[in-house]
Amino acid sequence: MEDEIKTGEIKRIDLDDVLVNELGQFGPFQLRYMVLVSIPLIMSAFMSEYIFSAAAIPHRCRVPECGEDSKLVRFDPDWLTNAMPERTSASTCDRYRPRDISVNISLDYCPADLFDSSVLVGCDSFVYARDNSVVYDFDLGCQEFLRVLAGTLNSVGTLLVLPITGYVSDRFGRRVALIISVFNLALIGLIRAFSVNYNMYLALQILQTTLGAGTFSSAYVFAAELVGPKWRVVASATATSMFATGQVILGGVAWLIQPWRYMIMALHIPCFLIISYYWILSESIRWLLSKQRFEEARTVLENIARVNKTQISEKSMQGLLMPPAVTAESAKVLHYI
């Protein structure tokens, strides 16, 4: 076998060799883990909900001279071209300068005489076509650079999370890294649903991805580490497919629950269930072996053999549980542990 290191009568062997020859590369144990890990993989796609919660919505200048006194009145009244140029896009940021003329007006009647069509002025306030976006709640009309900042901060957070998740995963284990990432994703996402202004929304956006975007990488590693070489590509493809499935679910939830605050809550509250994985999932066998936590590793290996209805020989067990620099005499002692 490759990577074997002779040490007395026992050879230190690689986990892949044991999976291929004894435990099984993809048995019921690995299938169960793939199903469980698929759930946080799906949830990792929910970080993209800013596409819907910060979606652009058509808007135009509010015309108080014509009786408009709120952000959500009729978007296309018949008199609209009397007060502003005909719209060439979904939104407009200019209107005609109002004249100081006293005329009886209403939301149904607003004559062109009220406005000087030769002079354009910027909007003081806005009317929106819908109210299911932070653009409406935080009055972001004609501030596209602010609206798209949510997506920018999301991308920045996915870069910042990489060293954090890597450290937690190597220091405390794959299982802990996965649970912490999903918990942060859920908690910060839930708090963001109660944002009172756009600054709070943006701050929580980058905080959520910086502390929670490790969900995908943690779950991906979990899925790939436990299967044999033959199935590793399948496990990787499945993980990516689950992320895509999560995006489909995200779109479905956004379509069914259009108020953005309720949509965020509906997406993130179920994520708290992943905390139960601390008791459901075993720690990654590769991480346990790398940290020389051999008693826990033995328990996991025996569990894999039991569920897969296979056997692992004592010689292979000792070869896996042997410290890297064990002596021949120590190997003989280890054999009797």
Side-chain angles (χ1 to χ4, degrees):
M1 295 180 184
E2 296 181 0
D3 301 327
E4 289 183 352
I5 302 175
K6 292 187 178 181
T7 312
E9 298 178 354
I10 302 176
K11 298 176 181 179
R12 187 166 181 266
I13 60 177
D14 186 74
L15 178 61
D16 281 347
D17 294 328
V18 177
L19 289 172
V20 171
N21 299 311
E22 299 185 47
L23 291 176
Q25 297 195 60
F26 192 86
F29 187 91
Q30 287 96 333
L31 177 61
R32 173 193 169 206
Y33 265 55
M34 281 296 300
V35 172
L36 288 172
V37 169
S38 292
I39 298 174
L41 284 168
I42 289 172
M43 291 174 172
S44 67
F46 296 167
M47 288 179 300
S48 300
E49 54 75 21
Y50 70 89
I51 296 172
F52 300 101
S53 62
I57 54 177
H59 55 274
R60 61 169 175 83
C61 296
R62 184 161 66 90
V63 187
E65 294 81 9
C66 297
E68 294 185 332
D69 56 2
S70 73
K71 296 187 292 184
L72 202 62
V73 294
R74 184 181 174 188
F75 190 69
D76 287 309
D78 295 335
W79 50 259
L80 190 61
T81 53
N82 294 338
M84 61 189 67
E86 187 172 351
R87 289 186 294 119
T88 57
S89 61
S91 304
T92 182
C93 299
D94 299 300
R95 69 186 187 105
Y96 298 139
R97 185 174 66 183
R99 290 192 173 113
D100 189 14
I101 299 177
S102 178
V103 179
N104 291 327
I105 53 90
S106 70
L107 288 174
D108 296 320
Y109 173 71
C110 192
D113 295 341
L114 286 174
F115 307 96
D116 182 355
S117 60
S118 64
V119 181
L120 290 177
V121 295
C123 301
D124 295 322
S125 54
F126 299 91
V127 168
Y128 297 90
R130 302 188 304 275
D131 62 354
N132 59 336
S133 169
V134 298
V135 174
Y136 173 85
D137 275 16
F138 303 136
D139 210 10
L140 300 179
C142 293
Q143 299 182 80
E144 183 68 7
F145 70 98
L146 280 180
R147 185 190 71 81
V148 300
L149 193 56
T152 302
L153 294 179
N154 182 278
S155 299
V156 171
T158 57
L159 292 177
L160 296 177
V161 75
L162 295 176
I164 298 174
T165 303
Y167 172 78
V168 174
S169 181
D170 290 340
R171 178 70 176 83
F172 301 102
R174 315 293 193 237
R175 179 177 57 182
V176 171
L178 175 62
I179 293 171
I180 289 177
S181 294
V182 180
F183 178 78
N184 290 337
L185 171 71
L187 180 62
I188 301 173
L190 187 60
I191 295 173
R192 192 154 54 88
F194 296 93
S195 297
V196 296
N197 54 53
Y198 195 53
N199 289 335
M200 178 179 175
Y201 176 90
L202 290 178
L204 291 172
Q205 176 71 63
I206 190 171
L207 186 64
Q208 183 187 32
T209 48
T210 300
L211 299 180
T215 298
F216 178 82
S217 58
S218 299
Y220 182 95
V221 170
F222 232 126
E225 282 192 339
L226 194 58
V227 299
K230 179 181 177 181
W231 289 88
R232 208 153 285 152
V233 173
V234 175
S236 300
T238 301
T240 306
S241 299
M242 289 301 102
F243 181 82
T245 301
Q247 291 181 314
V248 173
I249 293 173
L250 168 61
V253 172
W255 178 69
L256 290 171
I257 308 175
Q258 297 201 2
W260 67 272
R261 296 181 189 272
Y262 294 128
M263 177 197 68
I264 291 178
M265 286 189 278
L267 289 169
H268 291 100
I269 288 176
C271 295
F272 286 107
L273 295 174
I274 301 300
I275 296 174
S276 64
Y277 277 28
Y278 187 82
W279 297 276
I280 296 174
L281 281 180
S282 301
E283 183 54 84
S284 165
I285 184 64
R286 294 182 188 273
W287 183 81
L288 292 173
L289 292 173
S290 70
K291 296 299 181 180
Q292 300 186 28
R293 296 171 64 164
F294 295 133
E295 287 304 316
E296 295 174 65
R298 175 186 286 273
T299 301
V300 175
L301 289 167
E302 290 173 347
N303 193 28
I304 295 174
R306 179 181 58 81
V307 175
N308 285 354
K309 297 181 180 179
T310 56
Q311 291 184 341
I312 178 171
S313 66
E314 187 61 26
K315 182 178 179 180
S316 296
M317 182 73 79
Q318 296 297 337
L320 284 173
L321 304 183
M322 182 182 297
V326 70
T327 64
E329 184 176 347
S330 299
K332 293 179 181 179
V333 174
L334 184 64
H335 179 72
Y336 296 102
I337 295 178

